[in-house]
Amino acid sequence: MADTASKRTAAPVGPSPLVAPPAVLASSCCLILMFTGAWTCDYAVLCLAAPPGDYLSIRGTSLAAYLLFFLLLCLAARRRERRRAAVYGLSSAILRRGMALGCIGLVAGSIALTTAAPRDDGALLALIFLVKSVGPPLSAAVLLLFASMAPARASKAAGLAMTLAFLAECLLRLVFELTPLGGEAALIFGALCQIGGCCATSALACRHGSAPDPLDDRHAAAQPGWSRKFLVKALACIAATALMLGYLRTGASPGNSVGAIAAVTVFVAIAAGAWCLPNADTRSLFAAAIICVSGAFLLEPLIDLAAPRASSVLADCGTILFEILIWVISVSLVRTRLRMVRAAAGTRLATVFGHFAGAVAAALAANAGAQLPEASQATSLALVFVYVVLLLVVARDFPLFSPADPAAERAASSPGDASGEEAAARMLSAAGAPAPDGARRDGNAASAGATPVDEKRYWADPCRALADRFGLTPRETEVLEQLAQGRDLAFMEEKFVLSRNTVKMHVRNVYAKLGIHGKQEAIDLVEATRRR
C-alpha cells in the first residue's frame, strides 16, 4: 500500500501550469481577438454584401458552420473510438486542423467579398459561410483554454476580456466608418484578428509544459461530469440566454458612443466586483443582466426622460452581461465533461442556435411592429418574462447557481504533494462530512466526535457512479474498486476466485470502457469522481 500511496502522491491535484497568471492573460487575449474579429467581420459583411435578411443571414450561416463542425467531430470521435486510438476520442490535432482549414476558408471568403461581391444570393451565403468557418474550431479551442483554469479565475478573466472585446468592437466600428475603405478595411482587420487568435491559441496550448494539453481530451480523465439532468439544464440556460442575446443584438441599433459607454460601465463594474466581491457567483451576473434588460424595456420612457438614450445604455449593458454569462456557463459545463472537445463544440452550437432563434424573434417582432407599434415592446416583455420563469425552474438544485464555497474550492485546488486520501479528506471536510480513517490518522482532519466514513462506501460509491455512466458490468465494477485501491492481478485473482486470464480480460474491459490506459489513471478518475 505504500507504493500505491506514492503513486497517488504523484498525481496532480492542483491547477496545471497552464493557468498561471501569464497564461490567463494570454487566454484572455485569445478571447478578445476571437470575438473582436468575428464581430468586425459581421459588420464588414453587412456593409459590403447586404445579404438577404441582413443579420439573420449571418446567424443562419454561422449556425450551419457550427452544426457541420460538431457533426464532423462526432464522426471523427466515433471512428477513433472504434479503433481505440485515443483515450477519450479526440486529440488536439483535430482542433488545430479545424482552425487551419477555417483560416483558409476565411481568407478565401474575405478575398472574394472584397474583390467582387456576388449578386446571386446562394453564392453570397456560401462566401459568408467561408468567412464564418473559422469560428467553430477557434471558439471551441478558446473555451477549452478557459476550462483549464480555476473556476473563479476563469469567470473573472472571461468577464473582463469579453467587456474589452465589446469596447474594441465599438471603437473599431467608429474608426472604420470614418475610413474611406470602410467595409473592406473592417473585413481585413477582422480576418487578421481571427487568424491571430488561432495562432495564439495553438501556441499557448503547445506551451503547456508538464500539464495535459488543454486542447486534447485524451487526458481529461480527472474531470468528473454532471448528471444528465444538470447537463440538460446547463444547455437550456445557454440556449435561452443566447436567445435573449440574439434578440437584443439584432433588434437594437445603438450608436457607437452609447455602446462604448456601456462597455466601459460594465468593465468598471466587473473589475470593482472582482476586487471587492471575490466570492460573487453566477447568480449575481444573472440578476444584473435581468435588471438591466427589464429596466430598459419597462422603464424606457422614464429613464430616457431623466437621461437621453439611457435605456439604450441599459440594454447594451444587459447584452454584454448575457454574453459573459453564456461563456461562464459554457466553461463550467465543459470543465465537467470527460469528452471535452465535443462538449466545447456542443455548447458553442447551443449558443449559436440560441443566437439564431433570437435573431428570428427580433425579425418577427420588427415585422409585427411595422403593423402594430406596441407589438415590438410586447415581444420584448414576453421574452424577459419567459426567460425569468425558465431561470426559476432551472435554478433549483442546479450547482452552477449555488453560492461559491471558498473552502471547497481551496480543497479542490490543493497542492499536488498530498496523497489521494488526504485530498479526499479535505474535500469531505470542506463539505462538512467526516474524513476516512486513514486520512484522519495522517492529517489534521481528526476532530472530537467525528465518525469515520464507511470504507466500503468510500470506494464503492464513486466506482458505482462511473459504472452507471460508462456501462460497466457488476464484475467490472468490482474490478474497478480493486484497481482504485491499487490492487494487483494476483490479489484480484485470489479475491474473486478467478483465473489470471479472466481477471486480465475484466481489467482490459474496464480500461476500454473508461477510456484509460493504466491503474494510475483509474485511481485518478475514481478520486476525482469522489471529490465531486
Side-chain angles (χ1 to χ4, degrees), residues 175-472:
V175 170
F176 290 130
E177 287 178 352
L178 301 176
T179 302
L181 294 177
E184 290 84 356
L187 186 58
I188 294 172
F189 185 85
L192 291 177
C193 283
Q194 292 189 81
I195 294 173
C198 291
C199 296
T201 301
S202 299
L204 183 60
C206 290
R207 296 176 61 87
H208 61 276
S210 60
D213 189 338
L215 305 186
D216 191 341
D217 63 5
R218 294 181 301 173
H219 303 286
Q223 299 290 341
W226 286 338
S227 65
R228 186 181 299 273
K229 178 182 71 173
F230 288 152
L231 176 62
V232 172
K233 286 185 175 183
L235 290 176
C237 279
I238 291 173
T241 307
L243 188 150
M244 288 293 298
L245 176 63
Y247 180 83
L248 289 172
R249 297 211 71 181
T250 306
S253 57
N256 291 292
S257 59
V258 174
I261 292 174
V264 172
T265 302
V266 175
F267 179 82
V268 172
I270 291 179
W275 179 266
C276 303
L277 301 173
N279 296 330
D281 59 355
T282 310
R283 195 190 303 268
S284 303
L285 280 176
F286 268 107
I290 291 297
I291 290 173
C292 290
V293 174
S294 301
F297 290 154
L298 295 175
L299 306 176
E300 180 179 359
L302 182 60
I303 294 175
D304 287 344
L305 183 62
R309 303 192 70 179
S311 60
S312 297
V313 176
L314 275 181
D316 287 343
C317 291
T319 299
I320 297 172
L321 291 175
F322 277 130
E323 191 75 72
I324 296 171
L325 282 169
I326 291 173
W327 193 260
V328 171
I329 299 173
S330 300
V331 170
S332 300
L333 189 151
V334 171
R335 186 184 291 114
T336 62
R337 309 312 300 171
L338 293 175
R339 294 169 175 85
M340 297 179 70
V341 175
R342 274 179 286 178
T347 53
R348 292 305 299 167
L349 175 61
T351 301
V352 176
F353 174 79
H355 286 165
F356 178 73
V360 172
L364 294 177
N367 292 333
Q371 305 295 329
L372 185 62
E374 293 80 6
S376 179
Q377 186 176 8
T379 303
S380 303
L381 296 178
L383 282 177
V384 173
F385 175 77
V386 172
Y387 183 67
V388 172
V389 172
L390 176 65
L391 290 185
L392 292 176
V393 174
V394 170
R396 293 182 303 173
D397 68 8
F398 188 31
L400 184 63
F401 300 109
S402 302
D405 185 354
E409 187 169 333
R410 285 195 302 268
S413 59
S414 55
D417 57 353
S419 67
E421 290 89 346
E422 291 170 348
R426 284 192 294 271
M427 288 296 298
L428 291 169
S429 175
D437 263 346
R440 292 174 60 205
R441 285 193 300 267
D442 297 335
N444 297 324
S447 59
T451 58
V453 174
D454 180 65
E455 184 178 357
K456 183 177 180 180
R457 289 188 57 192
Y458 182 76
W459 298 109
D461 287 352
C463 293
R464 191 178 300 114
L466 291 171
D468 293 340
R469 172 182 296 173
F470 294 101
L472 302 183

